[in-house]
Amino acid sequence: MYRVSLSPVVIFIVSFTLVMGIYVFMMRHAAHTVIEDAAELYKKGEMAQTVFERQTYFNQALQLYADLENKYDPRYTNGKLYYNIGNTFYQLNQYPFAILYYLKASKLNSDARIQENLATARTKAGAEAPKVRRGFIDTFSLERWLSLPSRLQIFSYTALLGFILFSVTIWRSQPLLRIASYAFFSLSAYLLLGLISQAFWGMEEAVLINGENLRKGASQEFASVLEEPLNPGTVLEVIGEEKNGEWLKVVFNEDQMGYVPAKSLRKI
Amino acid sequence: MVALVFRTLCLICIGIVLPLSKLLPEEARVTVELKKESLKEGVPIEADLSIVHSKEDQVNDKSALFEGNPLKLRFLKDAEVPGGVRSTYRFTLEAKSKGLYVLPPITIVVGGNEVSSSRQAFEVGNNQEAQAQVQSSGNILFRIEPIIEGRQVFYPGQRAVFGYRLAYNQNVELTKDNMPLLDPPGFKKIGGEDIKNFRKGSLAYREIRQVVQAKTPGRYVIGPSVVVGRPYEMTLFQTKEYLAGTVEAKADPVILEVKAFPEKGKPASFNGAIGKKLTFKVVLQSFSDVNVGDKFTLSLEIAGDGEIETAPMPEVCCQPGFPGRFKPSDIPPAEIFKNGIKYIVIDLAPLSTSIKEIPSIEFSYFNPEKEEYQSIRSEPIPVKVRPTSEGLQEIKEEVETEKPGQSRTETDWPELNAKPEQIEIQTIFPLTTNDLQPRFFGTFTSLWILLFGGLALIIQGDMRYRMEKRKGKELKEGDSDRLWKEIESLPPGSKDLYSKISKALFAKLFETGHITRPDLAAHELSDDGIKGDVKRFLHELEEDRFSGKGKKDPASVKSEALKLMQSIVIRKER
C-alpha cells in the first residue's frame, strides 16, 4: 500500500481554490437570476397595455438593474449594464438620468445604439449635445479613441510582454528580444503617462438632472449668467468646487462659466 | 241485616246525589290550539280558544284577556260534548320573528266565573328555506340558527355581521361545534367575536356575533353548521351531573355571494372605495407658500353613506399633475376615522418653482345599489413655490414660455389606464454575467504589474549575478591545468573525454581573458582568432560524436586539444 502524503501548502492551495471556485459560481448564478428577472420585467414593460403597467414593470426592472450596478461596479465593463439602465430611465420619462447613463455607456462601448438612444433622450429632454472639445490631454491619453478599460488592458499586456522579454534576455543574450522589450516598455510607459495625466488633468463632465440657473457665484443670491435656466440633461464640464463641494464651478458650451448646486449634477 | 241496610243507603244516595250533582255547577275548561300553518316568521298567529262548559253557563267572549289586554274573539261554533258544550272561538295574535315563545294564560269569564287556559310553548319558524331545526330529546330543547345582519350579496369592502343564536332550556356542555359563519371564506374578520348570553322566558340564549368584511369575489356555501353537546345539571355541590345522551343542533347551509367590481366604466382612480353616496374634500393644512423641498400637508376627507372607515386612500402620486412635480413622503400617511369622517393626512414636497397649484385629486367609489362608479374631483389649491433657500423675499420668477405647437392642458401626463406611447428607442442589450465582470486587466489593479514585474526582473538579475559569481569561483585561475590533468588520467574510451576537453578549453579561455564567463556555449564564441579555432575544434568533436562517421582516435584528439590549449595565451587587452 502506498501512502500519499500531501504538503500542507498544496492542501491549502487546493482547498482555497475550490472554495473560491464555488463562491464565484454561486455569485455568478445569483447575478444570472437577477439579470434574467430584470430583462423579463423590461420586456413586460415594453408589452404593457396601460401606462400604469408600464411604469410598474419598468420601476421593478430599474430596481434590479440598480442593485446590479451597486454590486458589480460596471465602470470597467463593456457598458451594457449602463445602457440598459439608461433605457429603463428613458421608459420612465426620466430623461436626464437616461442621458447620464447613456453617456457612461458610450465611454465604455462604441455601439451605435447607444448614440441613437442618447440623441433621442436629448431631444425629449430638450438638451443640446455639447460642443465637442478635445484638449491636449484627451488626445495624449488616447481617450478619444480608447475607453479606460481598453487602455488599462493594453498597458497591462505591453508591460507584461516587456517584462517577459526582458527576463529572457537576462538569461540569454538576444539583442532583438531586448530591443522588443524596450519597445513594449516604451508603449506601456506612454499609456501609463496618459492615464496619469488624464486622472489629474483630464476633463470631468457631469449631467444636470434638474433645471438650474448658471449663477455668477456659489449661492442662490447671485444672478444668472444666462437668460434662461439650463435644461435637465445638459452636459457641463466641472472645473472646481466651492463651499465644501456644495457648489460646483462648471463650464457650459466651452465659453460660459458659472456655478450650479452640486446636488443637481451627476458626474459621468 | 247490615248488608240490606247498606244497600238501601247506597240506593238512596244515588237517587239523591246524582240529581243533585246535576244541579251543582261544573267548572269550565279552556284550551288553546295554535294553528301550525300560521307559526311562521312575519305571519299573524292564529289560534282556536275552546271552552268546555255547561249549557247553562254563558261564555262572555268580550271578557277574554291576553296579557292583561282585551282579546278579540270570533265565534266559530258550539258543539255538544258529554257533560256540556264546547264553544270554539278564533283569535289572532300579532306576527312574531322566528323563535321559541311561551303563550301566557288567556282568561275569560264563563257563567260569571273567570277561567283561564294553561301556559304553553310554541315556536315560530322561518319563512325561508334555512329553517333551523330543533332537536329535542325528551324535555331538552337545543337549537341553533344562523345570524346574518346586513346582506347576503356583497361587494369587496362591504361589511356585515354574521353569527349564531343558540337556544336551550338545559345546560349543555358543547363537545363539538362547527360554526363556519364566524370565519367564512372570502371574508375577513374585523375584530373579535361578540358573545351575549341572556334568558327569555324559560329558554336561555347564547348569541355569537362577528363583524366580517367581504374580500374575495365568489359564491360561497357556508355550512351546514352543527353543534353537539352533553346536557347536564348542576348539583348542590356545584358539580356537573350529566344527563343521558347527547343533543345536536343543526342549521342548513347559507349561500353568500361576493361580486367582483365590474370592469366596465371603472375609473383609473378607483381603488376599492364603496358606498351609496360619498363626499371627498382636500384641505391644505400647511402654508401655501413654501420653498422647493419643503412640504405641503394635505388632509383628504372622505365622508358619506358607505364603508368610510375602510375607504382606501386615493393614489395621489400617479394622478395627472403630480408625477415628476411632487415627491410624496416616505412615511405612510396617517389615517383617522372620527365622527363618521375619514381623514388621511399626506405630505407632498414640490420639486419645481413652476408649480402654481396643487392639482385636483380624483376620488372614485362604487355604488353597490346602482352598480356604477362615481368620481369626485377636489378643487385645485393655489400655492406658491420658491427656489431653495430664498426665504420669503419676493423675487421675480421666471415664466415658462410655451413652445409653439405645444399646448398645456390639465392632462399633461397620461392617465393610468391610458394606452402607453409607442417605444421610440432601441431595446436593451441581452446581458450575461460576463458583462458584469470587469475586463481582464482592465482595472487599475493591473498597475500592480509594474511592481511585480520589476521585482521579478530584480530577482532574476540578482540570481544571474550570483550564478556567475559562483561559477567564477568554481573556475578560478589554474583550473585549466587541473582539468587537463584529469583528462590525462581518464581511462581510454572514457565518455567524459570530450566534455572535459571542452571544459578545459573554456577554462583556459576564461583564465586568459578571452571570454567573460567560463560557461559559454560553443556557438556563442566568435569565429575569428583563437576563439574561432576553439569553436571549430569543438564543432568537429561534436560532429564526430554524434554523426557516427567514424570515431576519432582519442589520443589524436587529446594531442590536438593540448596544442590548442597551449596556443591560448593571455589576451593583451583585458
Side-chain angles (χ1 to χ4, degrees):
Chain A
M1 288 288 286
Y2 293 96
R3 269 202 303 180
V4 178
S5 62
L6 290 174
S7 147
V9 175
V10 170
I11 292 171
F12 170 76
I13 289 171
V14 168
S15 52
F16 179 76
T17 307
L18 203 62
V19 166
M20 286 305 295
I22 292 170
Y23 173 74
V24 167
F25 172 75
M26 295 302 292
M27 291 298 293
R28 286 171 80 96
H29 179 70
H32 179 68
T33 310
V34 174
I35 288 169
E36 279 192 350
D37 290 344
E40 195 183 327
L41 287 165
Y42 188 93
K43 290 279 183 274
K44 279 184 181 174
E46 283 182 326
M47 309 288 289
Q49 298 300 311
T50 64
V51 167
F52 178 73
E53 267 183 30
R54 175 176 277 191
Q55 284 183 354
T56 305
Y57 287 131
F58 281 132
N59 268 316
Q60 290 172 354
L62 181 62
Q63 183 63 51
L64 292 178
Y65 281 135
D67 289 344
L68 287 173
E69 187 194 0
N70 288 336
K71 216 171 182 178
Y72 290 96
D73 190 12
R75 285 178 299 168
Y76 305 101
T77 63
N78 54 19
K80 287 183 180 179
L81 179 60
Y82 281 142
Y83 170 80
N84 285 6
I85 294 175
N87 262 22
T88 318
F89 271 121
Y90 182 99
Q91 302 288 16
L92 291 167
N93 303 327
Q94 301 289 328
Y95 304 119
F97 280 101
I99 291 170
L100 170 70
Y101 278 91
Y102 286 142
L103 287 169
K104 287 190 182 204
S106 66
K107 284 183 174 291
L108 300 171
N109 198 314
S110 58
D111 195 295
R113 282 175 278 185
I114 300 173
Q115 296 302 324
E116 276 178 38
N117 286 3
L118 176 60
T120 310
R122 279 193 165 128
T123 307
K124 282 286 193 180
E128 290 175 9
K131 291 179 194 171
V132 178
R133 177 177 82 103
R134 296 291 173 189
F136 169 73
I137 299 293
D138 296 325
T139 308
F140 174 72
S141 64
L142 304 179
E143 197 201 357
R144 293 174 69 178
W145 300 283
L146 295 169
S147 65
L148 177 64
S150 300
R151 282 179 279 145
L152 284 165
Q153 270 185 320
I154 297 171
F155 158 77
S156 304
Y157 291 137
T158 51
L160 209 56
L161 273 173
F163 283 124
I164 291 170
L165 291 175
F166 197 85
S167 298
V168 171
T169 61
I170 289 175
W171 302 98
R172 294 283 181 267
S173 173
Q174 295 283 346
L176 278 177
L177 279 183
R178 187 152 286 199
I179 292 168
S181 67
Y182 286 153
F184 281 119
F185 276 142
S186 304
L187 183 57
S188 63
Y190 170 75
L191 288 165
L192 182 62
L193 208 57
L195 288 166
I196 292 170
S197 59
Q198 194 207 352
F200 282 98
W201 301 291
M203 191 166 70
E204 195 174 17
E205 288 179 315
V207 173
L208 206 59
I209 56 164
N210 290 325
E212 287 284 353
N213 283 312
L214 187 65
R215 301 213 177 253
K216 290 184 178 174
S219 170
Q220 295 283 356
E221 293 165 1
F222 285 93
S224 175
V225 172
L226 304 169
E227 284 182 5
E228 287 188 3
L230 296 169
N231 284 333
T234 305
V235 176
L236 303 169
E237 185 191 345
V238 179
I239 58 174
E241 65 178 46
E242 297 278 338
K243 289 189 178 179
N244 292 329
E246 281 182 23
W247 286 81
L248 295 176
K249 191 174 182 181
V250 298
V251 174
F252 170 61
N253 264 353
E254 293 187 359
D255 49 5
Q256 303 286 349
M257 196 169 69
Y259 294 85
V260 292
K263 64 180 181 184
S264 297
L265 280 171
R266 294 287 184 275
K267 291 185 184 172
I268 298 172
Chain B
M1 185 63 177
V2 171
L4 182 63
V5 170
F6 182 71
R7 235 181 285 131
T8 308
L9 278 171
C10 285
L11 282 168
I12 291 166
C13 286
I14 290 166
I16 295 168
V17 168
L18 269 176
L20 278 175
S21 69
K22 294 263 183 222
L23 291 172
L24 280 173
E26 201 175 85
E27 200 169 278
R29 292 192 309 277
V30 181
T31 53
V32 174
E33 188 185 333
L34 297 162
K35 297 290 175 201
K36 278 189 183 165
E37 57 273 13
S38 67
L39 292 177
K40 289 185 181 171
E41 186 181 17
V43 175
I45 299 169
E46 281 189 346
D48 288 343
L49 185 75
S50 298
I51 308 162
V52 175
H53 57 96
S54 64
K55 282 180 188 173
E56 293 77 25
D57 289 338
Q58 289 293 319
V59 175
N60 185 358
D61 54 8
K62 294 203 180 353
S63 66
L65 289 175
F66 175 68
E67 290 183 327
N69 297 317
L71 181 65
K72 192 173 174 187
L73 297 176
R74 179 163 60 93
F75 176 75
L76 285 182
K77 63 179 179 194
D78 272 340
E80 280 203 18
V81 295
V85 172
R86 180 191 297 274
S87 299
T88 307
Y89 295 86
R90 172 95 20 111
F91 66 92
T92 306
L93 297 174
E94 58 185 23
K96 291 194 178 301
S97 53
K98 59 184 176 157
L100 268 175
Y101 299 90
V102 173
L103 187 69
I106 296 173
T107 58
I108 194 167
V109 173
V110 179
N113 297 321
E114 191 178 84
V115 291
S116 56
S117 63
S118 55
R119 286 176 189 271
Q120 65 181 86
F122 67 96
E123 182 197 358
V124 175
N126 205 330
N127 246 337
Q128 296 169 1
E129 290 173 13
Q131 176 94 21
Q133 292 177 19
V134 177
Q135 186 83 23
S136 61
S137 137
N139 290 329
I140 298 171
L141 205 82
F142 186 54
R143 177 177 182 271
I144 183 170
E145 59 188 45
I147 298 173
I148 299 173
E149 293 174 9
R151 55 182 72 81
Q152 281 183 261
V153 177
F154 299 83
Y155 281 96
Q158 286 186 303
R159 288 189 178 185
V161 174
F162 292 167
Y164 291 95
R165 182 182 297 118
L166 289 159
Y168 46 95
N169 64 353
Q170 180 72 46
N171 289 326
V172 174
E173 183 181 276
L174 292 181
T175 54
K176 175 190 161 186
D177 65 87
N178 178 25
M179 295 189 275
L181 257 185
L182 297 177
D183 189 10
F187 289 78
K188 185 173 77 169
K189 286 164 72 167
I190 307 293
E193 291 171 0
D194 178 31
I195 299 175
K196 202 165 70 173
N197 296 309
F198 59 94
R199 288 193 76 87
K200 205 171 177 182
S202 60
L203 291 178
Y205 292 89
R206 183 180 176 89
E207 286 184 352
I208 308 167
R209 283 183 162 78
Q210 171 70 56
V211 178
V212 296
Q213 182 176 27
K215 200 172 71 169
T216 313
R219 191 169 179 277
Y220 305 98
V221 178
I222 317 292
S225 310
V226 176
V227 287
V228 178
R230 290 178 65 191
Y232 66 89
E233 283 177 349
M234 293 300 286
T235 65
L236 286 171
F237 303 104
Q238 296 301 309
T239 57
K240 290 182 186 175
E241 187 182 317
Y242 292 101
L243 306 178
T246 59
V247 287
E248 180 183 286
K250 199 173 173 182
D252 287 343
V254 171
I255 298 172
L256 302 171
E257 189 181 350
V258 179
K259 288 182 166 185
F261 290 118
E263 289 302 318
K264 190 180 170 185
K266 187 192 279 190
S269 57
F270 175 76
N271 63 348
I274 187 165
K276 275 192 220 169
K277 186 161 178 58
L278 302 183
T279 61
F280 178 69
K281 198 168 69 169
V282 176
V283 175
L284 179 65
Q285 293 196 329
S286 61
F287 291 118
S288 62
D289 188 338
V290 298
N291 298 331
V292 170
D294 290 340
K295 59 182 186 200
F296 293 118
T297 302
L298 298 176
S299 171
L300 313 181
E301 298 175 7
I302 303 170
D305 183 6
E307 304 290 345
I308 305 298
E309 196 174 353
T310 55
M313 185 187 116
E315 293 286 347
V316 173
C317 64
C318 310
Q319 297 210 9
F322 284 92
R325 306 185 95 206
F326 292 90
K327 183 177 177 288
S329 169
D330 293 332
I331 301 168
E335 296 188 7
I336 307 159
F337 179 69
K338 193 177 167 186
N339 298 331
I341 301 175
K342 181 160 186 178
Y343 301 89
I344 303 168
V345 180
I346 61 173
D347 290 331
L348 292 173
L351 299 176
S352 167
T353 53
S354 62
I355 292 170
K356 300 285 179 250
E357 64 179 20
I358 292 173
S360 168
I361 297 174
E362 186 177 276
F363 170 72
S364 296
Y365 65 94
F366 181 73
N367 186 333
E369 284 187 0
K370 293 183 185 174
E371 291 195 336
E372 61 185 25
Y373 295 94
Q374 313 278 345
S375 290
I376 311 168
R377 295 194 75 93
S378 65
E379 293 295 321
I381 302 172
V383 295
K384 194 167 185 180
V385 181
R386 301 179 190 277
T388 317
S389 74
E390 270 195 355
L392 294 175
Q393 255 183 326
E394 272 204 13
I395 46 169
K396 190 178 170 189
E397 285 191 339
E398 295 160 8
V399 175
E400 284 193 25
T401 53
E402 274 189 24
K403 291 184 183 168
Q406 188 184 8
S407 61
R408 286 178 67 102
T409 64
E410 272 186 20
T411 53
D412 266 343
W413 289 267
E415 289 185 10
L416 290 174
N417 271 355
K419 209 170 155 38
E421 290 176 1
Q422 223 172 349
I423 307 253
E424 296 163 320
I425 54 171
Q426 305 273 354
T427 191
I428 51 173
F429 284 126
L431 282 183
T432 64
T433 47
N434 289 333
D435 297 320
L436 302 179
Q437 308 300 326
R439 295 194 207 173
F440 190 61
F441 279 146
T443 64
F444 280 101
T445 51
S446 59
L447 293 178
W448 287 102
I449 287 175
L450 292 174
L451 177 66
F452 290 117
L455 276 175
L457 289 182
I458 291 169
I459 291 169
Q460 286 178 94
D462 185 63
M463 279 171 66
R464 183 80 175 120
Y465 172 73
R466 286 174 191 276
M467 273 175 64
E468 281 185 22
K469 207 172 166 184
R470 193 167 54 243
K471 284 200 174 154
K473 276 185 187 171
E474 285 173 3
L475 276 172
K476 54 186 181 290
E477 293 194 16
D479 275 347
S480 60
D481 294 331
R482 180 179 58 78
L483 284 167
W484 190 254
K485 282 180 185 163
E486 283 177 17
I487 289 169
E488 293 277 350
S489 62
L490 280 177
S494 170
K495 289 179 185 171
D496 292 335
L497 177 66
Y498 288 179
S499 63
K500 283 200 184 286
I501 287 173
S502 170
K503 251 186 181 174
L505 285 169
F506 273 106
K508 189 72 179 184
L509 283 173
F510 176 70
E511 285 166 11
T512 51
H514 286 281
I515 57 176
T516 55
R517 293 176 359 229
D519 61 340
L520 282 182
H523 67 270
E524 289 179 291
L525 295 172
S526 57
D527 294 330
D528 52 330
I530 191 62
K531 286 186 282 191
D533 295 337
V534 169
K535 185 177 179 179
R536 278 187 287 280
F537 176 71
L538 289 173
H539 275 148
E540 281 174 21
L541 287 184
E542 287 298 315
E543 274 182 20
D544 183 67
R545 226 171 122 189
F546 295 112
S547 66
K549 280 183 187 168
K551 268 197 169 176
K552 276 195 170 180
D553 180 27
S556 67
V557 167
K558 272 190 199 174
S559 119
E560 275 187 56
L562 184 59
K563 271 189 200 167
L564 207 46
M565 283 275 286
Q566 286 165 352
S567 67
I568 298 171
V569 293
I570 291 175
R571 198 168 159 229
K572 283 180 186 172
E573 291 174 10
R574 199 165 182 165

